[in-house]
Amino acid sequence: MIYNQYTFTMNGGEISGNRTTDGSSGVGVYVNAGGTFAMSGGSITGNSASNYGSGGGVYVGGTFNLTGGSITGNSAADYFGGGVYVATNGAFSMTGGSISDNNVSGSYGGSGGGVYVAANGTFTMDGGAITGNQTHTGNGGFGGGVYVKGAFYMNGGSINGNNAGAGDGVHVESGTFTMNAGTICNNMGGTSNYAGGANLNGGTFTMNGGWISSNGGNGDVGKGYSSATFTHNGGVLGANFSHATNAKSSVTVPGCATGTTTCTVQNIKTSSDLQIDSNDANTIVNIYSTGK
């Protein structure tokens, strides 16, 4: 455990094979409020939380800076954050390294196979990779790569090749996800009822740049409820925008006149259950509504 006002620097080596059965969190590393963990090399691997413990690999109540190394192969049974759990007021900065092959296992499903960001927690991703993480791939597993209730800023790097029941790459339950660059691609394995790239149950997803493409499930980006907001200001959406039957509310899609319900501009296609709200002439590639 890293306590208030203390810093732990990890340039190499391994923190591995730790397990709990009493519901403890942060089985590999626990960073308390005010503490700092700086990781530039080595690995945090093979740690396991059970009985509703969060953060099998890392629990962040203070600050965690990842510039290199790996957080890999950790788990949290039936709960939150197989690899990383960012708690309320915690902050995680990722400029390099990887968060990979972590899981939230069990019959319940849990959330955030790679990363779970709690309300008022913050994750900033400028580089590196979140890949190969998973939750239960049936109903009940949310956010194979990333689960968001707080704030997630993606300025680079990749969220690729993750699996979940809903939101194989990213699941936004509430809070905000802002994508300025990077890729969310090739996330698949969940049910056909939910989007594989980014699934939105609430909160906001703002895309200013980057690439979301080639994801499984029910499209690259999907809204499960009308309280969710997706805004596209730039970047490329490569395939599908899915829109559930109980979420026939507005979505901002640049390129079409305000109020239109059907248009085709630069391969943009939408059906009558989408309200177009923007006159912006930005280019988006191949957006299709499922028409549900």
Side-chain angles (χ1 to χ4, degrees), residues 232-237 254-255 265-268 280-285 287:
H232 184 285
N233 298 317
V236 174
L237 283 168
V265 179
Q266 298 286 354
N267 292 324
I268 300 169
D280 194 294
N282 291 341
T283 298
I284 312 174
V285 180
I287 298 178

Side-chain angles (χ1 to χ4, degrees), residues 258-281:
T258 300
T260 60
T261 56
T262 302
C263 68
T264 301
V265 179
Q266 298 286 354
N267 292 324
I268 300 169
K269 296 183 180 179
T270 65
S271 68
S272 59
D273 65 356
L274 295 181
Q275 175 68 44
I276 307 304
D277 294 329
S278 177
N279 286 311
D280 194 294

Side-chain angles (χ1 to χ4, degrees), residues 19-36:
R19 288 171 170 76
T20 64
T21 59
D22 61 358
S24 296
S25 298
V27 180
V29 173
Y30 189 106
V31 184
N32 203 11
T36 300

Side-chain angles (χ1 to χ4, degrees), residues 82 99 181 209 237 242 245 275:
I99 300 173
L237 283 168
S242 61
T245 54
Q275 175 68 44

Side-chain angles (χ1 to χ4, degrees), residues 132-180:
N133 305 286
Q134 68 175 34
T135 69
H136 190 277
T137 55
N139 291 327
F142 298 94
V146 175
Y147 181 100
V148 178
K149 275 191 169 181
F152 195 106
Y153 301 95
M154 187 175 187
N155 304 313
S158 61
I159 302 174
N160 296 348
N162 303 284
N163 299 311
D168 301 282
V170 174
H171 178 90
V172 180
E173 185 67 23
S174 56
T176 61
F177 192 107
T178 304
M179 184 177 186
N180 298 313

Side-chain angles (χ1 to χ4, degrees), residues 76-241:
D78 284 332
Y79 216 46
F80 304 144
V84 174
Y85 181 93
V86 183
T88 298
N89 299 322
F92 194 107
S93 172
M94 183 177 186
T95 59
S98 63
I99 300 173
S100 64
D101 300 314
N102 303 285
N103 73 85
V104 177
S105 60
S107 57
Y108 169 74
S111 301
V115 175
Y116 185 107
V117 185
N120 296 315
T122 302
F123 193 109
T124 303
M125 185 178 188
D126 295 319
I130 298 175
T131 183
N133 305 286
Q134 68 175 34
T135 69
H136 190 277
T137 55
N139 291 327
F142 298 94
V146 175
Y147 181 100
V148 178
K149 275 191 169 181
F152 195 106
Y153 301 95
M154 187 175 187
N155 304 313
S158 61
I159 302 174
N160 296 348
N162 303 284
N163 299 311
D168 301 282
V170 174
H171 178 90
V172 180
E173 185 67 23
S174 56
T176 61
F177 192 107
T178 304
M179 184 177 186
N180 298 313
T183 62
I184 301 175
C185 298
N186 298 312
N187 300 286
M188 53 190 65
T191 69
S192 60
N193 296 324
Y194 302 97
N199 186 68
L200 317 179
N201 268 6
T204 63
F205 190 111
T206 302
M207 185 178 183
N208 300 315
W211 191 293
I212 304 177
S213 180
S214 303
N215 298 286
N218 194 15
D220 286 315
V221 179
K223 290 172 61 176
Y225 296 95
S226 59
S227 59
T229 300
F230 176 77
T231 301
H232 184 285
N233 298 317
V236 174
L237 283 168
N240 299 308
F241 186 98

